[in-house]
Amino acid sequence: MRATARIVKYSKANQSGIALVIVLWVVTLLSLIAASFIYAMRTDMQIVSNSMSITQGQVIADAGVHRALLELFKPIQVPDRWNPNGEVHEWEYKGAKLRITIMDESGKIDINGATEALLRSLFVSKGVPEEEANTLVDVINDWKDPDTLKRLRGAEEPEYKTAGLTYKPANAPFQAQEELRLVLGMTLAQYKLIENIITVYSRQPGVDAKIAPREVLLAIPNVTVAQVDEYIGLREQARASKQFVPPFSAGGPYLSVGSGFIASVRSEATMPDGVLFIRDAVVMKTPNPKRPYVFLSWKEGTAGVVNTSGVAAAIGQDGAK
């Protein structure tokens, strides 16, 4: 009887020990599940917070574009008016910091209207070998001219088929500068070299030197770096003293007068938490008082943030209206 009682006693003790171990394991498992759930919830809340901040940045960047439009419609003689010459204007709005630029499209090189010499010089100024530049110019012109006759170094439908491409030249002017990427032989690296200084909106054979960026002036045939830098110095002095900007005599036949009707606007909004949202737009003034402007292009840049928790969120979209 004593032996039986001892066995029963030991059996109950063992069962109690096993139960305790099971309880400890269950508690540990539940703690791990709870910790995982809390981390997941924290991550989701951070992503939601980032998305909200990006959305706010988008709205504020759009406000920057409309602030630029307000400046464009001010009379030229108004003091401190933002002129469409590519200068950066800083503005704080709703706690965000904005960097806004306005650029008359006449200060860029129009890939539809530019002469062959200007297009060739554009590529050469960016380091493209001259023979390669000549080929690119012929292929570009074959893309946009209305006929199907192949230029010496150009390409028409048969050349595109031979290259394994499923499309052919448009035989029409470029509708957007990004269309240039479809041209046979045009690499992404080559396009990136010129994407910020070309346009399809000025519709002019030359550029307006009074507002053109330095790299556009350097693309003008037969000009030197010294001539460009000297002119930019004179141009900045004239702007600072509110004087008439002198002409760029070295530009010769490759100059045009800006219309002031079509401008590109870039609005970069940086939120207090570090989110950056960029809006790029091209706007055209109209004579219609009920609709004084029309957006020709409306593109969203990228926005992202990395938090101290290591959670990253990024939203990017690119489109046009």
Side-chain angles (χ1 to χ4, degrees):
M1 292 293 293
R2 289 182 180 179
T4 302
R6 189 179 295 114
I7 292 172
V8 172
K9 184 177 181 180
Y10 286 158
S11 177
K12 289 182 177 180
N14 290 340
Q15 290 177 1
S16 298
I18 293 172
L20 180 60
V21 170
I22 292 174
V23 169
L24 290 175
W25 273 107
V26 170
V27 170
T28 302
L29 182 60
L30 290 175
S31 297
L32 290 174
I33 294 174
S36 177
F37 177 76
I38 292 172
Y39 180 79
M41 288 298 295
R42 181 184 176 188
T43 301
D44 291 343
M45 290 176 65
Q46 191 65 66
I47 292 174
V48 170
S49 176
N50 290 341
S51 299
M52 290 177 62
S53 188
I54 291 170
T55 301
Q56 291 173 343
Q58 175 182 343
V59 173
I60 291 177
D62 292 351
V65 172
H66 287 86
R67 167 67 192 275
L69 292 178
L70 175 64
E71 296 290 337
L72 278 175
F73 281 93
K74 288 182 180 178
I76 297 177
Q77 63 272 19
V78 172
D80 300 324
R81 173 183 182 264
W82 294 0
N83 294 311
N85 54 19
E87 290 185 53
V88 177
H89 303 277
E90 296 185 351
W91 182 43
E92 290 194 12
Y93 180 69
K94 299 291 185 180
K97 294 182 178 180
L98 291 96
R99 289 170 54 86
I100 305 170
T101 57
I102 313 171
M103 181 70 184
D104 189 325
E105 289 293 281
S106 299
K108 300 178 183 179
I109 297 173
D110 192 305
I111 56 176
N112 286 322
T115 63
E116 291 188 13
L118 182 55
L119 280 177
R120 184 180 302 108
S121 184
L122 166 64
F123 288 109
V124 172
S125 71
K126 289 298 185 179
V128 177
E130 190 166 352
E131 281 299 313
E132 194 173 332
N134 287 332
T135 299
L136 285 172
V137 170
D138 276 2
V139 175
I140 288 171
N141 285 327
D142 272 343
W143 179 279
K144 66 184 182 180
D145 65 22
D147 60 58
T148 58
L149 301 176
K150 176 183 172 296
R151 296 170 187 262
L152 180 62
R153 301 179 181 85
E156 288 289 351
E157 185 175 357
E159 285 68 37
Y160 283 78
K161 285 185 177 179
T162 301
L165 299 174
T166 58
Y167 58 88
K168 61 182 181 179
N171 291 329
F174 292 95
Q175 298 300 302
Q177 69 179 61
E178 291 82 4
E179 190 180 342
L180 194 62
R181 284 282 292 115
L182 299 175
V183 169
L184 183 65
M186 173 67 68
T187 66
L188 177 60
Q190 291 169 338
Y191 176 74
K192 288 294 184 182
L193 290 173
I194 63 174
E195 67 173 334
N196 293 325
I197 56 175
I198 59 174
T199 183
V200 295
Y201 298 112
S202 80
R203 303 168 188 173
Q204 297 187 8
V207 298
D208 187 347
K210 295 190 298 297
I211 57 175
R214 182 176 184 270
E215 54 185 332
V216 169
L217 297 178
L218 288 173
I220 296 176
N222 305 318
V223 302
T224 66
V225 174
Q227 288 173 324
V228 169
D229 288 342
E230 180 183 7
Y231 175 72
I232 289 177
L234 294 174
R235 187 174 71 179
E236 295 307 313
Q237 290 177 11
R239 287 177 181 172
S241 59
K242 306 296 182 182
Q243 300 297 317
F244 178 76
V245 177
F248 183 43
S249 57
Y254 303 102
L255 302 181
S256 297
V257 178
S259 64
F261 292 112
I262 302 178
S264 56
V265 178
R266 184 176 181 83
S267 177
E268 303 177 1
T270 302
M271 302 299 290
D273 57 1
V275 165
L276 171 66
F277 191 92
I278 301 172
R279 174 71 76 196
D280 287 317
V282 178
V283 63
M284 179 178 67
K285 293 182 179 179
T286 74
N288 185 353
K290 294 183 178 180
R291 193 181 184 188
Y293 61 87
V294 175
F295 285 112
L296 303 179
S297 176
W298 186 265
K299 300 178 182 179
E300 299 178 11
T302 58
V305 63
V306 177
N307 301 285
T308 55
S309 62
V311 180
I315 294 177
Q317 195 172 10
D318 199 352
K321 287 184 178 181

